[in-house]
Amino acid sequence: MPGKFEIFKDKRGEFRFRLKATNGEVILASEGYKAKTGAKIGIASVQKNAASADRFEKKTNAKGTSFTFALKAGNQQVIGASESYKTEKARNAGIASVSRNAPGAKVVDTTV
């Protein structure tokens, strides 16, 4: 069973989305969009790009103690970012979870 995307409004009134795995954990979060349409376009882009391993940019902090990733569109613009993971293995599992959950995830709009 795939995860779900949630569209919500942040404290500044911008629209954002987050992808949650089937266990309810947030595995990817977006930037803010001025219009809900932007968030919906971002979700479609995540669903399209999540299947391509080369769209994920893996990052490590300077001390090597924190691991994150960003999902990029074909134009190299970041469309979603992960939380911080304590290990490289956990980060890679997060990437696998996005790849597995995003394509068939339903969209829940919490702003209506």
Side-chain angles (χ1 to χ4, degrees), residues 28-109:
L28 191 75
S30 76
E31 64 181 8
Y33 297 92
K34 297 208 181 293
K36 188 186 300 188
T37 304
K40 289 180 178 181
I41 291 168
I43 289 170
S45 186
V46 169
Q47 290 175 316
K48 175 184 174 185
N49 290 286
S52 300
D54 64 333
R55 303 293 173 146
F56 289 92
E57 179 182 9
K58 298 177 181 180
K59 301 177 182 181
T60 306
N61 71 351
K63 295 181 181 181
T65 57
S66 177
F67 303 86
T68 60
F69 65 87
L71 176 61
K72 293 185 171 186
N75 63 3
Q76 295 301 302
Q77 185 173 345
V78 174
I79 49 179
S82 73
E83 64 180 4
S84 180
Y85 295 94
K86 293 182 180 180
T87 67
E88 189 174 0
K89 183 178 179 180
R91 181 213 35 223
N92 293 344
I95 291 170
S97 185
V98 170
S99 295
R100 186 174 54 254
N101 283 282
K106 66 179 182 175
V107 178
V108 177
D109 186 347

